[in-house]
Amino acid sequence: MMTKSSNPAGHDSIKRKAMIWFALVFCTLMLGAYQLNQGAKIQSDILAMLPEIHEEALTQVALERVESQLADRVYIALQASSETQAINSAQLLLTLLRTDKSLFTNVKSGDIDSVRALNQFYFPHRFSLLTANQQTLLENKQLARLEANALAQLYNAFGYANSELISQDPLLLYPDTLKAMAPAQKVKVAQGILVSTAHNDLGQSYYSAIVMAKGVGSAFNPQSQQQQIDKLTESIAVVRAQLPTDVELKVLKAGALFHASAATLQAKKEVSSLGLASLIGVIALVWWAFRSMMPLLIASLTIATSLLFAVVATLSLFGELHLLTLVFGTSLIGIAIDFSFHFYCERLEQADRSASAAVTKVFPAATLALITTVLAYSAIGMTPFPGMQQVAIFCAAGLIGAYATLVLAYPFIANSRLPHRPLPLRLAQQYLDKIAALSQLGNTLWWRTGLLGIALVTALGLSQLQTDDDIRNLQQSPDDVVSQEAQLRLLLSGGTDNQFILVRAPNAQALLQQLEAIKPTLNKLTQDGVIGNAINLANYLPSQTTQATNYRLQGEIYHNIDRILAKMGLAPELANDLRQQYQQAAALTITPEAFFNSPAGQLFSPLWLPASNQERDFGAIVLLGGISNIDTLQQAFATTPSVQLVDKVADISHVMAKYRSLTLWLLLLSLLIAWGIFSMRFGVRLALYVTAVPATSALLTLGLLGLFGSGLTLFHALALILVFGIGVDYSLFFAEAKQGRAVMMAVFMSACSTLLAFGLLALSQTPAIHYFGLTLLLGIGCTFLLSPFVHNFIRTHK
């Protein structure tokens, strides 16, 4: 071993490398501080991980409109046994939430002003408005039925007839047309509050007062998310405090805010617990192997540098860091430390070897391993998933940081001697000897039977492997959040779903006629329970053709107005005034421009998509709620080209299926490229063995997933690429090794740390992370068992 004094030039070179490493770390720290100062943030929205769906112009505008209407809305139901208590609680909650407009806007419940605005707008147009039933009766000359209904209302103490209305609408047609505009609801408006009445299992009534609000800022932004949750919690506590102590107030909450909050808490919990457990496991493993604090310190330094490079590179390229990237990134601890394991196992093999010589020894395999693993991560980065691109950059940059620490810093900081530890190396050699003995049995019957059994099990698993690309399975909220949302949806007749219908036509009137044409289908779907409700503009804005027909049909009334007034017992002098009102309304029609510019129509204006420079067609959105069978809904409009069911969830799921398939092809391509690169260094035959290890591991993993009943997703496929990258690392070090026990010990430690990290990920409550971790748990386990055979092949054929 050369001393510092005997080789001053070498010592100067080591110091220069250490200074370069220190400068890199310092610059990275400064860049990270700058990124944080510029507003780099933590992102928790799982949808931010998903690819963008490029739709045609009109569909894209419709998606943006619907998302802007539904995004960041919260719904609160206050349930009490007394309607008065429920209403008072809701009114107080409205007041409390309105005090801070920086957190919530558009805080409301039942909107009496909107009802008044509708009445003021439509009443002058009453001669052009009819319900479907009224149209049928007038077409069939059944005035007597309409007269009987009007008389029933006239003498009903709870009817809506009054002298002013009767003098302008003698058959009381207008109230029914106004009621028919809104979809059937289970709620009523009382004192400006939406109230729903239901019964419990004991038959007792309880009342639910509903409050709605729109959060300021994204529900997936952790900062605004926490502020909104705190405000709601504080306000609900104040509402509870103002009630008598014997009154029980149940609160139901729904909205993306509560799903996002649960996801954020879960991710933070997993980042801290999984990362800490992985780190403790690695420390225990290093201490067992080397019985020295220095390898622990060097390993910790390697991990810290790796994470620093990973975080700063991700923030610099994306401006944010997804929480799921951090969860995935905990696995980096198990991968980045591999360099430290191989370095110290080489030091343990020859105690008199200097740190610089040990780095030189592992340098070729470490370099090839870095290249192939970064290529594997690059394959992940080629997918259009922003979250997976982050994972690729995070892990690739982290590995580069670990590699730089090995090459530049280890010769200077890791030169201390290690305690004599023959046991780990002896155990590693014994394991290799058993592998060699096992390989010599290759021609025996039981060996062939065993291989055939493994092949059959793998084939059986592959035959049972199913795909599952439904994005809704990527993240599962806690049962309490899902249950509350389901109960609130029931109160609101299904609420509003993300899927909607887009209707298009070349002009405004053709569009209104198309909306009217689909009304019977929507009504049938509602009656059959396929949907809970539908908000169709045709209910509020009839076409000019329909208005003209309604006006003509009502002529039957005013041509017989004298007889009708007499039968109703009304003053005959009303006849002339009514005929005059009818005639004056001939030129008075509802136009889209007038409707959407009125207070009554402003609420519905987001559903109207006029033609633009990008899209020549007009479009209209039909909002849907309580969808129970998406396939039946799709089939109902499959033969109508101008009607499109827009289902972003299905579109993203389709893209996930496409890129799952693409990722598996990328895996095959990566194997072929790696085989080509290794052939130039090791020859065709050994390169084939090196790449056969991860290839076989991938097949075994897929087979086991099939046997376990785990549906194959994009995240399984992405994890298989990492199985390839890590498997190639193990095989490369065995291929480069002259004596295999140091490599065997390092591979064992590496596999243990990686299995620990990814095994913990498999316990994650977030399905995407669970799939990723489970695949790597199985894949790395198979790779560890197979990779020593590469060393045995070298001993046999060289």
Side-chain angles (χ1 to χ4, degrees):
M1 175 181 174
M2 290 187 179
T3 63
K4 297 177 184 178
S5 58
S6 63
N7 189 5
H11 180 63
D12 290 343
S13 174
I14 290 172
K15 289 182 65 175
R16 281 196 298 271
K17 289 180 180 179
M19 292 299 295
I20 293 172
W21 174 82
F22 179 80
L24 284 174
V25 171
F26 179 77
C27 292
T28 305
L29 274 171
M30 292 299 100
L31 180 59
Y34 173 77
Q35 290 296 332
L36 292 173
N37 188 54
Q38 292 299 306
K41 60 181 182 179
I42 302 295
Q43 172 67 265
S44 66
D45 181 6
I46 194 169
L47 296 179
M49 295 188 72
L50 302 177
E52 294 184 6
I53 305 295
H54 297 286
E55 304 279 4
E56 58 178 330
L58 189 62
T59 306
Q60 187 61 41
V61 172
L63 281 167
E64 292 171 358
R65 288 280 184 91
V66 171
E67 288 174 1
S68 67
Q69 291 298 302
L70 301 182
D72 308 318
R73 287 194 175 275
V74 296
Y75 301 84
I76 310 293
L78 305 173
Q79 295 183 339
S81 58
S82 163
E83 181 177 13
T84 301
Q85 290 169 344
I87 291 173
N88 291 342
S89 298
Q91 288 174 335
L92 177 56
L93 182 60
L94 284 171
T95 302
L96 294 170
L97 294 182
R98 286 169 176 164
T99 57
D100 191 347
K101 294 183 178 179
S102 66
L103 295 178
F104 293 103
T105 60
N106 199 20
V107 182
K108 63 181 183 179
S109 185
D111 196 343
I112 295 178
D113 292 336
S114 295
V115 176
R116 290 172 180 165
L118 286 171
N119 183 51
Q120 290 173 359
F121 179 80
Y122 285 117
F123 191 74
H125 299 280
R126 62 191 179 279
F127 300 104
S128 300
L129 301 173
L130 289 172
T131 67
N133 182 57
Q134 291 168 350
Q135 287 176 342
T136 301
L137 293 176
L138 288 172
E139 285 173 348
N140 296 327
K141 312 293 184 182
Q142 296 183 11
L143 281 175
R145 294 270 300 275
L146 294 174
E147 292 167 357
N149 179 66
L151 283 170
Q153 289 297 323
L154 193 60
Y155 296 108
N156 183 354
F158 299 99
Y160 36 65
N162 58 61
S163 57
E164 182 179 358
L165 178 60
I166 292 173
S167 67
Q168 300 180 76
D169 182 20
L171 291 183
L172 299 176
L173 301 180
Y174 175 69
D176 284 338
T177 60
L178 203 60
K179 285 175 59 180
M181 289 180 181
Q185 294 286 339
K186 299 178 181 179
V187 294
K188 66 177 182 180
V189 178
Q191 301 179 44
I193 301 295
L194 280 176
V195 180
S196 174
T197 306
H199 299 85
N200 59 23
D201 296 337
L202 300 176
Q204 299 169 328
S205 298
Y206 64 92
Y207 302 87
S208 303
I210 299 165
V211 172
M212 297 166 282
K214 187 174 178 64
V216 176
S218 172
F220 300 100
N221 181 299
Q223 182 177 358
S224 58
Q225 178 188 108
Q226 190 58 50
Q227 291 175 342
Q228 291 171 22
I229 290 289
D230 290 344
K231 179 64 176 179
L232 285 170
T233 303
E234 175 189 336
S235 300
I236 291 172
V238 172
V239 170
R240 289 186 189 277
Q242 61 89 33
L243 290 170
T245 55
D246 60 336
V247 174
E248 180 182 357
L249 183 71
K250 182 180 179 181
V251 179
L252 301 178
K253 295 173 285 188
L257 173 66
F258 308 106
H259 292 275
S261 176
T264 300
L265 291 174
Q266 183 65 36
K268 286 181 177 178
K269 179 181 176 181
E270 290 177 356
V271 166
S272 58
S273 61
L274 299 185
L276 180 62
S278 177
L279 189 58
I280 292 173
V282 168
I283 290 173
L285 191 65
V286 173
W287 178 256
W288 172 83
F290 304 113
R291 289 294 194 276
S292 170
M293 287 301 297
M294 184 54 68
L296 285 175
L297 294 174
I298 298 299
S300 300
L301 179 65
T302 305
I303 292 170
T305 306
S306 176
L307 291 176
L308 174 65
F309 275 60
V311 170
V312 173
T314 305
L315 290 177
S316 298
L317 291 176
F318 297 95
E320 63 181 19
L321 182 63
H322 202 288
L323 272 175
L324 290 184
T325 301
L326 282 176
V327 176
F328 280 121
T330 60
S331 61
L332 187 61
I333 296 172
I335 301 173
I337 203 171
D338 287 1
F339 296 134
S340 180
F341 289 156
H342 283 285
F343 169 82
Y344 273 107
C345 286
E346 286 296 333
R347 295 287 313 277
L348 203 63
E349 175 74 32
Q350 296 186 18
D352 59 344
R353 177 178 287 166
S354 68
S356 182
V359 169
T360 302
K361 175 69 176 176
V362 301
F363 179 80
T367 303
L368 272 177
L370 174 73
I371 293 171
T372 52
T373 307
V374 169
L375 283 175
Y377 282 119
S378 299
I380 292 179
M382 290 174 65
T383 66
F385 285 57
M388 289 298 95
Q389 291 170 358
Q390 277 199 22
V391 170
I393 294 298
F394 186 93
C395 293
L399 286 178
I400 291 172
Y403 178 80
T405 305
L406 168 72
V407 175
L408 300 176
Y410 275 36
F412 183 77
I413 63 176
N415 212 15
S416 60
R417 281 184 171 273
L418 291 175
H420 184 59
R421 287 284 294 161
L423 177 62
L425 291 173
R426 186 168 65 249
L427 292 174
Q429 186 61 56
Q430 290 174 359
Y431 184 80
L432 285 176
D433 291 341
K434 291 184 180 298
I435 293 292
L438 192 62
S439 300
Q440 292 173 4
L441 299 176
N443 294 323
T444 62
L445 179 62
W446 76 268
W447 174 263
R448 293 178 181 178
T449 304
L451 290 179
L452 180 62
I454 293 174
L456 288 175
V457 169
T458 303
L460 178 63
L462 290 173
S463 68
Q464 296 180 355
L465 188 63
Q466 302 291 324
T467 59
D468 180 10
D469 301 299
D470 192 339
I471 184 181
R472 285 167 291 200
N473 295 332
L474 282 185
Q475 184 171 343
Q476 296 176 353
S477 297
D479 292 340
D480 180 56
V481 175
V482 175
S483 173
Q484 290 188 46
E485 183 162 294
Q487 293 178 62
L488 253 169
R489 277 184 173 276
L490 194 61
L491 294 176
L492 294 170
S493 303
T496 302
D497 290 322
N498 292 321
Q499 296 89 349
F500 61 90
I501 290 172
L502 176 62
V503 183
R504 64 181 71 222
N507 57 66
Q509 289 306 310
L511 178 59
L512 292 175
Q513 291 173 13
Q514 186 66 54
L515 289 170
E516 291 170 346
I518 67 172
K519 283 177 67 175
T521 304
L522 290 171
N523 291 337
K524 186 175 187 309
L525 290 170
T526 304
Q527 292 169 4
D528 294 344
V530 176
I531 58 176
N533 63 72
I535 300 178
N536 185 355
L537 278 174
N539 293 331
Y540 306 91
L541 181 58
S543 65
Q544 295 291 324
T545 301
T546 299
Q547 291 182 64
T549 300
N550 291 338
Y551 182 83
R552 175 181 57 79
L553 289 173
Q554 290 202 48
E556 183 71 17
I557 298 172
Y558 296 98
H559 293 152
N560 296 280
I561 193 63
D562 296 296
R563 181 186 62 78
I564 291 173
L565 290 175
K567 188 169 183 178
M568 298 283 296
L570 301 175
E573 54 267 21
L574 292 174
N576 289 333
D577 189 38
L578 285 169
R579 274 192 290 266
Q580 185 177 4
Q581 290 180 35
Y582 174 74
Q583 292 168 358
Q584 290 175 347
L588 189 61
T589 59
I590 303 173
T591 64
E593 293 79 8
F595 177 68
F596 293 121
N597 287 329
S598 70
Q602 287 178 358
L603 179 65
F604 304 99
S605 59
L607 305 182
W608 184 257
L609 309 174
S612 63
N613 295 332
Q614 291 78 24
E615 180 58 55
R616 293 164 54 184
D617 283 346
F618 280 72
I621 297 167
V622 178
L623 294 177
L624 305 172
I627 299 173
S628 62
N629 192 323
I630 193 73
D631 294 331
T632 302
L633 181 61
Q634 182 81 56
Q635 292 169 8
F637 300 103
T639 58
T640 311
S642 59
V643 180
Q644 172 191 359
L645 177 64
V646 180
D647 186 356
K648 190 173 182 180
V649 171
D651 291 342
I652 294 177
S653 297
H654 176 73
V655 171
M656 289 186 68
K658 173 183 174 182
Y659 284 99
R660 169 184 48 75
S661 178
L662 176 61
T663 302
L664 293 176
W665 282 108
L666 283 173
L667 174 60
L668 179 59
L669 179 62
S670 299
L671 285 167
L672 293 174
I673 292 174
W675 175 74
I677 294 173
F678 300 154
S679 294
M680 292 185 288
R681 179 168 179 82
F682 305 118
V684 173
R685 195 173 182 185
L686 179 56
L688 188 61
Y689 267 77
V690 172
T691 51
V693 169
T696 306
S697 298
L699 287 174
L700 286 171
T701 301
L702 289 173
L704 291 172
L705 289 173
L707 291 176
F708 293 159
S710 180
L712 184 64
T713 69
L714 174 66
F715 293 94
H716 292 99
L718 293 171
L720 284 176
I721 289 184
L722 294 190
V723 170
F724 157 75
I726 296 170
V728 165
D729 287 358
Y730 295 172
S731 300
L732 275 174
F733 277 98
F734 276 117
E736 289 282 354
K738 293 181 181 178
Q739 293 182 348
R741 63 176 190 169
V743 173
M744 186 66 248
M745 178 183 170
V747 166
F748 168 75
M749 296 182 66
S750 172
C752 286
S753 61
T754 305
L755 286 173
L756 177 63
F758 288 125
L760 290 172
L761 286 183
L763 299 176
S764 171
Q765 297 300 308
T766 303
I769 301 175
H770 167 74
Y771 299 152
F772 198 85
L774 177 62
T775 307
L776 280 158
L777 178 66
L778 297 173
I780 298 305
C782 294
T783 300
F784 170 74
L785 294 175
L786 293 174
S787 58
F789 287 95
V790 174
H791 176 68
N792 186 72
F793 173 82
I794 296 173
R795 291 176 60 186
T796 304
H797 293 84
K798 288 189 179 181

